[in-house]
Amino acid sequence: MSSIENLKSLFKEQYNPDNFFLIAGPCVVEDEALLFHVAEKVSGICKRLNIPYIFKASYRKANRTSIHSFSGVGDVEGLDLVQKTGKVFNLPTTSDIHSAAEAAMAAAYVDILQIPAFLCRQTDLLLAAGETGKFVNVKKGQFLSGEAMKFAVEKIRQSGNEKILLTERGTTFGYQDLVVDYRNIPIMQEHKVPVIMDCTHSLQQPNQSSGVTGGNPKMIGTIAKAAIATGADGLFIETHPDPSCAKSDGANMLHLDLLEGLLEDLVRIREAVRK
């Protein structure tokens, strides 16, 4: 089966080819209460709007600027909480991996292995992820074009795995900003894989002198609407009930209370585009 056809096996009864799908959740596993709260609210919204939903939370954040930044509650502990959330709310799940050694470990707990943007060229990591047989979502490096992501796709296919997703997450613009080139959405779709727009990390403002990445969450809606208008298959949105208190990436996360209204707007845009 092709990567797009494989989405049916991921979402099962949730599958809806007429709508975009959503990957959403807090940046990192903080505790069970947070994961359950976010999963319950987002899954309820998505069921009402008929949006296939994947729950996301990173069990470990290895790519922090400062050594003092929160990186996780422990690998097994974090993965166990992600898996538990998926089972309780009957959702597919995803989390980042950062090395080839993590692939098999994480694959025992989640449905999709996410490859961080800075690691999208790591051959051993991509092959190890592909060999698990799980879905592999590769975020486009901030330093790469959409065309160049064909090599990441080829590496995973070399492992015999066709369950591939690609995510656009902006392009480096100077030292402390990113821009989104929406041409990358149709360009990456030419690789015959579903393409996702990361609406939150594309608004990061990296390399801050404080050692904590900044962001511009007021533009999340703009990024998401433009992505749906240009044909994105899915959206990635990190969300939190109180981003100001989030332990990671709070500066570019969407407040959980704002998600429902945004998704309602996006469904209407999707319907208009399909017509």
Side-chain angles (χ1 to χ4, degrees):
M1 289 192 293
S2 71
S3 295
I4 296 172
E5 290 171 338
N6 271 308
L7 287 175
K8 296 178 184 178
S9 65
L10 176 66
F11 291 115
K12 300 176 183 176
E13 69 273 7
Q14 277 191 320
Y15 183 66
N16 178 10
D18 296 326
N19 209 353
F20 61 89
F21 61 90
L22 177 69
I23 301 175
C27 178
V28 67
V29 173
E30 297 180 16
D31 55 44
E32 181 180 292
L34 171 67
L35 301 195
F36 279 23
H37 176 62
V38 173
E40 181 176 29
K41 182 158 186 175
V42 179
S43 62
I45 296 168
C46 288
K47 285 178 183 177
R48 182 175 70 80
L49 297 175
N50 203 15
I51 299 171
Y53 172 44
I54 300 162
F55 177 79
K56 182 269 170 186
S58 296
Y59 68 90
R60 176 154 58 94
K61 299 299 292 185
N63 51 341
R64 301 294 82 191
T65 300
S66 171
I67 195 171
H68 303 294
S69 296
F70 179 77
S71 60
V73 297
D75 289 357
V76 174
E77 293 84 352
L79 282 166
D80 187 64
L81 285 172
V82 174
Q83 183 183 58
K84 184 176 181 181
T85 303
K87 288 182 176 179
V88 168
F89 296 97
N90 193 29
L91 298 170
T93 58
T94 185
S95 194
D96 304 87
I97 61 171
H98 309 87
S99 69
E102 290 180 48
M105 175 186 71
Y109 294 86
V110 300
D111 301 287
I112 303 173
L113 300 176
Q114 182 172 284
I115 308 299
F118 284 127
L119 301 178
C120 69
R121 296 178 66 202
Q122 296 298 107
T123 301
D124 59 343
L125 175 59
L126 294 173
L127 290 176
E131 288 166 1
T132 67
K134 293 294 178 112
F135 281 84
V136 183
N137 177 23
V138 188
K139 289 196 171 186
K140 182 185 75 65
Q142 300 93 318
F143 44 86
L144 286 179
S145 66
E147 291 94 340
M149 288 301 289
K150 69 180 180 180
F151 300 109
V153 172
E154 287 174 358
K155 290 174 183 178
I156 298 168
R157 284 181 172 150
Q158 183 68 29
S159 73
N161 191 338
E162 281 288 343
K163 299 176 182 177
I164 306 165
L165 309 168
L166 293 180
T167 295
E168 165 63 35
R169 55 97 73 225
T171 301
T172 299
F173 184 69
Y175 287 113
Q176 295 180 322
D177 205 0
L178 299 169
V179 294
V180 177
D181 181 352
Y182 286 95
R183 293 176 298 178
N184 282 324
I185 292 175
I187 286 170
M188 290 196 292
Q189 286 171 333
E190 292 177 2
H191 306 320
K192 306 301 181 184
V193 298
V195 174
I196 301 156
M197 181 72 230
D198 184 337
C199 305
T200 44
H201 289 96
S202 60
L203 291 167
Q204 283 185 335
Q205 295 171 339
N207 300 316
Q208 301 295 316
S209 59
S210 65
V212 178
T213 297
N216 186 11
K218 291 181 180 179
M219 297 296 291
I220 291 172
T222 300
I223 296 292
K225 291 171 185 176
I228 294 301
T230 49
D233 300 288
L235 298 177
F236 178 106
I237 301 175
E238 287 190 338
T239 184
H240 194 284
D242 187 358
S244 66
C245 295
K247 293 185 177 181
S248 177
D249 280 1
N252 53 266
M253 273 200 278
L254 182 70
H255 196 293
L256 186 58
D257 289 344
L258 300 177
L259 182 63
E260 185 167 14
L262 174 59
L263 291 177
E264 289 173 343
D265 289 345
L266 295 172
V267 168
R268 287 192 287 269
I269 294 171
R270 174 74 172 189
E271 290 172 349
V273 170
R274 285 184 60 81
K275 290 179 181 179

